[in-house]
């Protein structure tokens, strides 16, 4: 491996490391750093203004003091999830992301953590845009297959992607204890030759006495087929009425 106790500045060409590198000082990259095997361990501070690629194992802050700072560069990995954005709506009509969806990643995972409506018995939905922040309300083919108390419910729409159901037994309640949780995958939103597919699973509490009879599981199968020539550049989340009371939505790039 390579141990650096001071400062290493890489300003041109490539820095290739195939062993294990431990840095206890400051590691500055102005070009491209490529690590193709073993582990890259950072104990100090790493400042990157170029491109950092790790195809082995990247360990940050193994002693609790390491920091990875990306100023104007890009961090990529050969496998796993890269967190791109965190949405934390608080009593707002909608929340969206128009910065994460680029050609840097082919597929994206969107994770929901306790997303709760402010209005009782509402439907949670997603729409997309292909430019700016004009979210379309047409061109979808969305199928929600919900199981509530072992009873299967199927809802469909062409106006948005359904993240819950639309029927009285498949909508959401306002309780902050039992919000929507789960994840979906948006496949290849940057393509200009095919529809943009979405699938995943979420669970939530539907109206009624709290218990197994009101615990709902939704299998989401959908696509945006409105304009296959244009890449999807953003997503928007909202309830059918009222605000998003609280919750966390994280967008990950899949490498």
């Amino acid at each position: 491996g390579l141990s650096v106790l001071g400062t290493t500045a890489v300003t041109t060409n490539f820095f290739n490391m195939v062993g294990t590198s431990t840095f206890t000082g400051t590691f500055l990259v102005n070009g491209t750093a490529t690590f193709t095997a073993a582990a890259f361990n950072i104990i100090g501070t790493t400042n990157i203004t170029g491109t950092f690629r790790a195809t082995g194992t990247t360990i940050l802050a193994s002693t609790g003091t390491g920091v990875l700072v990306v100023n104007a560069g890009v961090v990529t990995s050969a496998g796993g999830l890269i967190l791109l954005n965190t949405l934390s709506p608080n009593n707002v009509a909608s929340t969206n992301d128009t910065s994460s969806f680029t050609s840097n990643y082919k597929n994206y995972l969107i994770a929901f953590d306790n997303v709760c409506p402010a209005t009782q018995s509402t439907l949670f939905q997603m729409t997309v845009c292909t430019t700016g922040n004009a979210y379309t309300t047409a061109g979808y083919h969305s199928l929600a297959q919900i199981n509530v108390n072992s009873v299967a419910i199927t809802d469909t729409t062409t106006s948005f992607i359904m993240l819950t159901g639309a029927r009285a037994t498949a909508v959401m309640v306002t309780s902050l204890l039992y919000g929507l949780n789960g994840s979906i995958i948006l496949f290849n939103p940057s393509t200009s030759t095919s529809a943009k597919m979405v699938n995943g699973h979420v669970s939530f509490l539907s109206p009624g006495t709290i218990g197994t009879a009101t615990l709902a599981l939704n299998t989401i199968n959908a696509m945006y087929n409105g304009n296959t020539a244009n890449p999807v550049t953003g997503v928007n989340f909202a309830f059918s009425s009222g605000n998003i009371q609280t919750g966390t939505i994280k967008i990950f790039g899949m490498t």
Side-chain angles (χ1 to χ4, degrees), residues 142-156:
S142 182
L143 171 68
Q145 295 178 311
I146 309 101
N147 285 292
V148 184
N149 193 25
S150 300
V151 177
I153 298 171
T154 301
D155 284 325
T156 62

Side-chain angles (χ1 to χ4, degrees), residues 26-39:
T26 299
F27 180 59
L28 303 173
V29 181
N30 295 318
T32 298
T34 303
F35 300 88
T36 57

Side-chain angles (χ1 to χ4, degrees), residues 9 49 83 93 100 127 131 136 139 168 182 188 193 204-205 219 221 238 247 254:
T49 56
L83 179 61
S100 298
T127 52
T131 182
T136 182
N188 201 11
T193 59
F204 55 92
L205 188 71
T219 300
N221 296 283
M254 302 178 68

Side-chain angles (χ1 to χ4, degrees), residues 87-127:
L87 307 176
S88 301
N90 183 8
N91 199 31
V92 293
S94 64
T95 185
N96 58 70
D97 182 349
T98 57
S99 62
S100 298
F101 302 95
T102 67
S103 59
N104 290 337
Y105 302 95
K106 184 173 183 180
N107 304 320
Y108 292 82
L109 184 141
I110 303 172
F112 305 98
D113 181 6
N114 200 42
V115 179
C116 303
T119 301
Q120 188 77 4
S121 301
T122 48
L123 184 161
F124 193 45
Q125 57 198 46
M126 182 179 92
T127 52

Side-chain angles (χ1 to χ4, degrees), residues 25-222:
T26 299
F27 180 59
L28 303 173
V29 181
N30 295 318
T32 298
T34 303
F35 300 88
T36 57
F40 179 67
N41 299 286
I42 302 173
I43 301 176
T45 299
T46 297
N47 295 283
I48 299 173
T49 56
T51 299
F52 177 78
R53 297 188 181 95
T55 56
T57 301
T58 301
I59 302 173
L60 303 180
S62 58
T63 63
T65 58
V67 179
L68 177 63
V69 180
V70 182
N71 296 318
V74 178
V75 177
T76 63
S77 173
L81 302 175
I82 305 298
L83 179 61
L84 304 175
N85 198 3
T86 300
L87 307 176
S88 301
N90 183 8
N91 199 31
V92 293
S94 64
T95 185
N96 58 70
D97 182 349
T98 57
S99 62
S100 298
F101 302 95
T102 67
S103 59
N104 290 337
Y105 302 95
K106 184 173 183 180
N107 304 320
Y108 292 82
L109 184 141
I110 303 172
F112 305 98
D113 181 6
N114 200 42
V115 179
C116 303
T119 301
Q120 188 77 4
S121 301
T122 48
L123 184 161
F124 193 45
Q125 57 198 46
M126 182 179 92
T127 52
V128 305
C129 64
T130 57
T131 182
N133 59 357
Y135 296 96
T136 182
T137 56
Y140 302 93
H141 298 278
S142 182
L143 171 68
Q145 295 178 311
I146 309 101
N147 285 292
V148 184
N149 193 25
S150 300
V151 177
I153 298 171
T154 301
D155 284 325
T156 62
T157 183
T158 58
S159 300
F160 48 81
I161 293 174
M162 306 181 73
L163 299 177
T164 64
R167 304 188 193 186
T169 55
V171 288
M172 290 191 64
V173 297
T174 59
S175 172
L176 294 179
L177 297 176
Y178 309 102
L180 180 139
N181 294 271
S183 64
I184 58 174
I185 296 176
L186 172 58
F187 292 93
N188 201 11
S190 63
T191 182
S192 59
T193 59
S194 61
K196 286 69 175 177
M197 305 294 293
V198 175
N199 64 43
H201 296 85
V202 297
S203 59
F204 55 92
L205 188 71
S206 62
T209 303
I210 296 174
T212 56
T214 55
L215 182 61
L217 172 66
N218 182 19
T219 300
I220 300 156
N221 296 283

